[in-house]
Amino acid sequence: MAVDRVGNKPCGGRYGDIVESIGNTPLIELPRLSPKPGVRIWAKLESRNPTGSVKDRVARALIEDAEEKGAIMPGQTILEPTSGNTGISLAMICRRRGYPLKVVMPENVTAERTQLLRMYGAEIVYSEGSLGSNGAVEKALEMAEADSSYYMPYQYGNVANPNAHYNGTAIEILEELDEVSAFVAAEPMQGEPVQGLRSLDDGFIPPIIDLSILDRKIFVTNRDAIIWTRKLLEEESVFAGVSSGAIARVAVRIAGELDEGNVVFIVADDGWKYLSSGIYTLSVDEIENLDATVWW
Ligand SMILES: *Cc1c(COP(=O)(O)O)cnc(C)c1O
């Protein structure tokens, strides 16, 4: 009977290859973060995907969409701007499916990202660090313009990206919860770079964002993002990336405004890729004084 149990449970099952095993991530309650008994906070642990981030879903959707349209053939080079996670996910899938991958990434990202991308066989083109990931987007667009042999999935403008969540992540959440009172994401304050998040006021609004479906926006500082990343670890033993700390902070605030119900957010990645940035060891004073212009 053990076999049946595994076969039917999230995160279990049997798959033809690593790409097929993407998704079916666990939904974890965070009882110690909840401000009142009737309000339950849930984290969808997307860090439990094959490369450790939610971007595995997006990368698979982008590649399969291109394959279905006949836009790519094995051997063709895929080009994509990224600050890391999407690139790592694409690299895993492209290696498996036989596409060389070139990623454009800001030169000042953490060393772990460069290492992981190289391990999965991607070629890295660095963009100017001070321009952050918007600089990587611009550079990749220029390269694609100049050389038509590249196929650029373009995560920021490709509807296959949100559809991966609409048809995957969202359905998995709704299979576990009868109702969701609030689904929470977060936006960093402008000029306050939070690794993994992006301010829409920094001059680039991805074409796939539909702002009309947001009920409201709550901004988060980098300091709060780091403090809450550590709270997730210290109070709930969830080792998460910095964007998850930012979102957890907002989720707890929203939970405090409700009388009952379920508040859900996504843990987009785990903490491994952020270790070298020191966020788990900085003192509160050091966090206060972090140089906000450094984009890790
Ligand atoms: C996925 C994502 C990006 C881009 O991801 P990379 O891993 O940097 O390629 C940027 N901003 C947000 C909010 C995202 O979710």
Side-chain angles (χ1 to χ4, degrees):
M1 288 305 101
V3 172
D4 277 354
R5 202 188 68 231
V6 170
N8 289 328
K9 276 292 178 189
C11 239
R14 189 166 76 179
Y15 302 92
D17 76 355
I18 190 90
V19 180
E20 279 181 28
S21 76
I22 291 167
N24 301 308
T25 53
L27 188 66
I28 310 286
E29 186 162 9
L30 306 176
R32 283 163 201 83
L33 291 193
S34 176
K36 38 185 118 154
V39 184
R40 306 178 74 178
I41 301 178
W42 303 87
K44 179 84 169 146
L45 279 204
E46 290 301 305
S47 46
R48 293 273 287 270
N49 277 300
T51 74
S53 93
V54 67
K55 300 306 177 160
D56 285 353
R57 293 181 190 265
V58 171
R60 177 175 60 183
L62 293 170
I63 294 299
E64 290 184 348
D65 168 72
E67 286 176 339
E68 277 158 26
K69 287 181 182 148
I72 52 174
M73 295 276 279
Q76 184 170 358
T77 299
I78 311 281
L79 173 73
E80 184 70 12
T82 179
S83 61
N85 279 335
T86 304
I88 293 163
S89 300
L90 279 171
M92 180 264 291
I93 296 168
C94 286
R95 163 172 278 173
R96 182 67 196 75
R97 299 260 170 102
Y99 305 103
L101 175 70
K102 214 178 251 197
V103 300
V104 184
M105 188 165 75
E107 63 198 345
N108 51 353
V109 299
T110 59
E112 292 93 327
R113 293 169 215 221
T114 295
Q115 282 167 4
L116 281 161
L117 281 162
R118 296 225 165 100
M119 279 163 50
Y120 279 113
E123 188 185 323
I124 304 171
V125 177
Y126 287 110
S127 57
E128 162 81 44
S130 64
L131 300 178
S133 43
N134 293 347
V137 172
E138 267 168 46
K139 183 159 188 151
L141 287 170
E142 279 164 26
M143 288 170 66
E145 180 92 352
D147 183 345
S148 63
S149 73
Y150 291 129
Y151 176 77
M152 184 147 85
Y154 199 47
Q155 58 172 329
Y156 299 101
N158 191 328
V159 74
N161 174 353
N163 281 346
H165 298 302
Y166 197 81
N167 301 318
T169 324
I171 295 194
E172 290 171 28
I173 292 168
L174 294 172
E175 274 170 0
E176 297 300 330
L177 298 175
D178 292 333
E179 67 75 50
V180 174
S181 306
F183 179 82
V184 179
E187 184 173 338
M189 239 45 129
Q190 203 213 350
E192 279 264 355
V194 175
Q195 291 186 70
L197 297 180
R198 204 71 60 74
S199 167
L200 292 179
D201 293 329
D202 278 342
F204 178 59
I205 300 185
I208 46 161
I209 290 190
D210 178 358
L211 293 170
S212 71
I213 61 178
L214 296 184
D215 295 304
R216 64 201 265 212
K217 281 218 251 183
I218 297 176
F219 298 97
V220 181
T221 62
N222 190 40
R223 173 189 174 278
D224 275 5
I226 294 174
I227 285 174
W228 281 83
T229 303
R230 292 192 21 188
K231 261 195 222 276
L232 276 175
L233 187 61
E234 283 154 23
E235 293 183 27
E236 295 285 0
S237 291
V238 171
F239 179 45
V242 193
S243 71
S244 306
I247 300 166
R249 186 217 177 282
V250 177
V252 169
R253 180 164 148 191
I254 300 283
E257 295 173 5
L258 298 172
D259 293 324
E260 57 177 10
N262 293 309
V263 176
V264 180
F265 72 94
I266 281 184
V267 166
D269 62 2
D270 53 29
W272 294 106
K273 285 183 293 287
Y274 306 83
L275 279 182
S276 69
S277 68
I279 59 151
Y280 302 99
T281 47
L282 294 174
S283 68
V284 173
D285 272 358
E286 286 168 327
I287 295 173
E288 299 284 357
N289 294 322
L290 272 181
D291 180 356
T293 63
V294 174
W295 203 95
W296 291 292

